[in-house]
Amino acid sequence: MTTLTDSGVQAGSLADRIVNSPAGYSGIEPDDEWVAEILRLKEERNATILAHNYQLPAIQDIADHVGDSLALARIAATAAEDTIVFCGVHFMAETAKILSPDKMVLLPDTRAGCSLADSITAEELRAWRDEFPDAVVVSYVNTTAAVKALTDYCCTSSNAVDVVNAIDPDREVLFLPDQFLGQHVKRVTGRENMHIWAGECHVHAAINGDELEEKARANPEAELFVHPECGCATSSLYLVSEGHFPEDQVKILSTGGMLEEAARTGARKVLVATEVGMIHQLRKAAPQVDFEAVNRKAACKFMKMITPAALLRSLTEGADEIHVDAETARLAARSVQRMISIGHSVPVSK
């Protein structure tokens, strides 16, 4: 006789092994059985799996599309499948729902949040806008749907400079929430009428200038790939300005930009300052290059909540579905659509 669990899953099946804990779902190894079941369920649900570059290697490898926030947003907007399984964090799945409101969007663990998105609320943005009523609001995509609904333009690290350059130079700009990305954009654009919110990603902010300098001095022939969210981005430019490192060896890049640069680099070694999940895609793009994380502990606990067990559970049960209030989605769609229409994005892998 077939025995079912409380969730309706057949006892003894692969999904029946899933363990739920406050830290996330576990109990499943990404072996051949898991791969076969994910592929079967994906076909059964007519689903596509999107994975951010910071996801676990097994999740990246099973996904249909792997990329940065901008590339994946563009895929979500045009996906032909009925279901989008977004292996990332909450704001990313919300963005997919905003762009494809008629599709089912699943986030394999809705507890996967984002410290940067949490650094500004809709109420705080309203108050900030009231201080600068004529300013244009530019929000990094790492924000909630409610914040996007109050935003004029969204951006990602790969097109933030293009977005700000597209705005009337006489208009003040409120840039949020990442202070390091904002400082990078202000430096590149030379825009003085730009106000920057003091938010940060706890993972990128923790990659500091001292450890970057130590690694760089120990590897003088290496190139540096530095994400603009990092606390060490300014330090990398200081190394150049002080003559400690050649200018052409230091690259301030989005994750998508890192993949572009990896494909054409002639360096034998590259030091990478971003979340460690990025190393997997870089090694696939340029296996002849030795990629080394500047900080090997720079792992986002939220990104890593999308485990093989979480993905299996989501496809098996249709959990956890993402919903965005219709009016919030309507307002947010304007700023998100502007984001995906400005600048370029590298092709997603697969």
Side-chain angles (χ1 to χ4, degrees), residues 179-242:
Q179 59 184 310
F180 299 113
L181 178 60
Q183 288 162 4
H184 169 70
V185 172
K186 187 172 184 177
R187 181 171 58 245
V188 173
T189 62
R191 194 174 192 119
E192 293 300 323
N193 58 350
M194 183 171 161
H195 308 276
I196 302 169
W197 189 262
E200 64 182 28
C201 161
H202 72 285
V203 176
H204 283 102
I207 305 175
N208 62 59
D210 289 341
E211 58 194 1
L212 176 73
E213 184 172 355
E214 180 183 348
K215 290 269 190 182
R217 289 183 184 278
N219 300 275
E221 302 303 317
E223 286 189 348
L224 303 183
F225 287 5
V226 182
H227 195 281
E229 282 183 44
C230 286
C232 65
T234 301
S235 298
S236 67
L237 297 176
Y238 170 79
L239 290 174
V240 171
S241 66
E242 292 297 305

Side-chain angles (χ1 to χ4, degrees), residues 47-244:
T48 186
I49 300 175
L50 312 186
H52 191 270
N53 290 317
Y54 296 160
Q55 288 292 294
L56 293 167
I59 300 299
Q60 294 187 36
D61 290 344
I62 197 71
D64 297 296
H65 307 281
V66 183
D68 61 13
S69 297
L70 178 56
L72 295 178
R74 286 178 168 148
I75 292 292
T78 58
E81 294 80 4
D82 297 326
T83 301
I84 297 170
V85 184
F86 209 119
C87 298
V89 292
H90 198 275
F91 78 81
M92 295 178 180
E94 274 191 335
T95 303
K97 186 65 177 178
I98 289 166
L99 290 167
S100 293
D102 297 329
K103 297 188 183 299
M104 173 181 280
V105 176
L106 302 177
L107 175 64
D109 192 333
T110 52
R111 295 171 294 188
C114 174
S115 61
L116 180 55
D118 288 343
S119 67
I120 187 167
T121 65
E123 291 72 22
E124 288 171 326
L125 177 53
R126 284 193 189 93
W128 201 27
R129 286 197 319 176
D130 287 345
E131 292 181 48
F132 302 93
D134 296 323
V136 177
V137 178
V138 178
S139 292
Y140 195 22
V141 72
N142 299 45
T143 46
T144 65
V147 167
K148 289 180 175 72
L150 299 172
T151 294
D152 296 303
Y153 291 87
C154 277
C155 71
T156 69
S157 55
S158 61
N159 74 348
V161 170
D162 292 327
V163 168
V164 171
N165 276 334
I167 297 169
D168 183 341
D170 293 329
R171 297 285 301 277
E172 287 187 298
V173 172
L174 304 184
F175 190 96
L176 62 105
D178 190 83
Q179 59 184 310
F180 299 113
L181 178 60
Q183 288 162 4
H184 169 70
V185 172
K186 187 172 184 177
R187 181 171 58 245
V188 173
T189 62
R191 194 174 192 119
E192 293 300 323
N193 58 350
M194 183 171 161
H195 308 276
I196 302 169
W197 189 262
E200 64 182 28
C201 161
H202 72 285
V203 176
H204 283 102
I207 305 175
N208 62 59
D210 289 341
E211 58 194 1
L212 176 73
E213 184 172 355
E214 180 183 348
K215 290 269 190 182
R217 289 183 184 278
N219 300 275
E221 302 303 317
E223 286 189 348
L224 303 183
F225 287 5
V226 182
H227 195 281
E229 282 183 44
C230 286
C232 65
T234 301
S235 298
S236 67
L237 297 176
Y238 170 79
L239 290 174
V240 171
S241 66
E242 292 297 305
H244 300 310

